[in-house]
């Protein structure tokens, strides 16, 4: 296992995963829709390569995967959050959330699995969310997509096990990074959250990195179809 593509790696948790993978010795594909930001992250890594594409576009994804030249580990991390009550949610917005958080996981995983099947195996890690398991108000589209990621993970693990491809998910809690950072600028939210977590602290991007690197590694050689909640 020596090459890894991380989607949505220009910011937040994805950027931290790319950095952690680099430190662990992987050649890292820093994939993101934002070219300059992806270049910046990649240039800070020992063996980083920026891959600019929209993960919802199968042609763009296939093109950058070919350019990268072989992938042992794929981390499907790219995602977007749209909040608001379902009763007012615009259907177009709902579709966009499902496209980016769920359909793109299928698109990138399929592209990777075709390469991994030829290579004799690989590992795919899909980043879901705790809201994909436990409902909370005002994130219905996002939660539906993240719940779908967990079902897709299990189906992929069953279908692709015979190719020696392991497929697992990580479901982060409310992490202080990326899309959750604006919420934590409110001290009331911060205190309430820290108080609600039995461990008494808010999770960091590095907490997610460790779980992803474990599932990517041979230490997890007999683990597939699992969801590791990190909350
Ligand atoms: P973020 O917003 O900081 O990073 C997401 C990255 O995905 C960005 O760099 C963005 O440019 C990229 N991206 C978005 N749409 C894309 C597309 N169509 N094509 C290519 N790249 C695209 O978010 P964060 O917080 O780092 O989230 C990373 C993952 O973790 C997401 O899947 C998110 O749903 C999940 N997550 C985050 C939690 C948190 O508390 N931050 C909690 C649970 C899950």
């Amino acid at each position: 296992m020596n090459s890894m593509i991380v989607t949505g790696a220009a910011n937040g948790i994805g950027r931290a995963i790319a950095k952690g993978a680099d430190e662990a010795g992987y050649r890292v594909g820093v994939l993101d829709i934002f070219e300059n930001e992806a270049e910046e992250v990649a240039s800070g890594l020992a063996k980083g390569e920026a891959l600019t594409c929209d993960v919802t576009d199968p042609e763009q994804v296939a093109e950058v995967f070919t350019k990268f030249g072989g992938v042992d580990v794929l981390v499907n991390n790219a995602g977007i959050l749209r909040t608001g009550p379902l009763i007012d949610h615009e259907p177009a917005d709902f579709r966009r959330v499902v496209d980016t958080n769920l359909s793109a996981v299928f698109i990138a995983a399929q592209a990777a699995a075709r390469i991994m099947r030829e290579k004799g195996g690989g590992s795919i890690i899909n980043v879901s969310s705790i809201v994909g398991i436990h409902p909370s108000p005002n994130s219905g589209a996002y939660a539906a997509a993240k719940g779908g990621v967990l079902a897709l993970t299990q189906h992929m693990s069953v279908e692709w096990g015979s190719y020696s491809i392991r497929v697992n998910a990580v479901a982060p809690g409310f992490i202080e990074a990326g899309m959750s950072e604006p919420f934590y600028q409110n001290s009331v939210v911060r205190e309430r959250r820290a108080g609600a977590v039995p461990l008494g602290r808010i999770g960091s991007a590095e907490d997610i990195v460790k779980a992803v690197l474990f599932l990517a590694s041979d230490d997890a050689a007999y683990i597939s179809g699992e969801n590791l909640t990190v909350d």
Side-chain angles (χ1 to χ4, degrees):
M1 296 290 168
N2 50 27
S3 68
M4 178 187 289
I5 291 177
V6 184
T7 74
N11 198 53
I13 294 172
R15 182 173 56 197
I17 295 170
K19 189 166 171 284
D22 183 65
E23 287 165 5
Y26 287 93
R27 181 171 72 92
V28 183
V30 178
L31 189 155
D32 207 278
I33 199 164
F34 291 118
E35 185 173 6
N36 292 345
E37 287 81 350
E39 294 279 3
E40 198 184 316
V41 172
S43 67
L45 306 180
K47 284 181 285 177
E49 184 182 339
L51 305 170
T52 310
C53 86
D54 179 343
V55 282
T56 65
D57 183 331
E59 284 178 14
Q60 287 185 33
V61 169
E63 197 178 308
V64 296
F65 275 49
T66 304
K67 179 179 165 234
F68 187 67
V71 55
D72 299 307
V73 181
L74 168 68
V75 183
N76 271 313
N77 165 82
I80 55 169
L81 175 66
R82 297 282 183 276
T83 53
L86 280 172
I87 199 129
D88 297 325
H89 222 73
E90 291 294 336
D93 222 21
F94 189 97
R95 279 197 203 100
R96 183 73 199 152
V97 170
V98 172
D99 267 2
T100 309
N101 292 292
L102 176 58
S103 306
V105 169
F106 159 69
I107 289 166
Q110 186 191 57
R114 287 175 175 170
I115 295 165
M116 291 170 179
R117 182 175 55 179
E118 296 304 311
K119 292 183 76 163
S123 172
I124 297 173
I125 296 121
N126 299 323
V127 179
S128 178
S129 168
I130 193 71
V131 297
I133 307 164
H134 300 288
S136 65
N138 296 322
S139 54
Y142 178 79
K146 292 299 190 182
V149 167
L150 296 176
L152 191 59
T153 299
Q154 292 186 327
H155 276 265
M156 286 171 171
S157 75
V158 167
E159 290 195 15
W160 298 345
S162 60
Y163 308 136
S164 298
I165 300 171
R166 295 185 299 106
V167 190
N168 290 291
V170 169
F174 191 20
I175 296 301
E176 187 163 21
M179 60 176 67
S180 294
E181 258 173 349
F183 300 104
Y184 279 124
Q185 276 159 18
N186 179 333
S187 59
V188 177
V189 172
R190 159 174 279 285
E191 276 164 38
R192 197 181 292 154
R193 178 64 190 163
V197 177
L199 286 172
R201 72 167 174 91
I202 294 161
S204 69
E206 285 64 37
D207 291 315
I208 310 305
V209 175
K210 285 174 190 148
V212 168
L213 290 180
F214 164 66
L215 288 172
S217 76
D218 287 343
D219 289 344
Y222 203 54
I223 300 176
S224 192
E226 271 304 317
N227 172 42
L228 184 50
T229 299
V230 185
D231 70 339

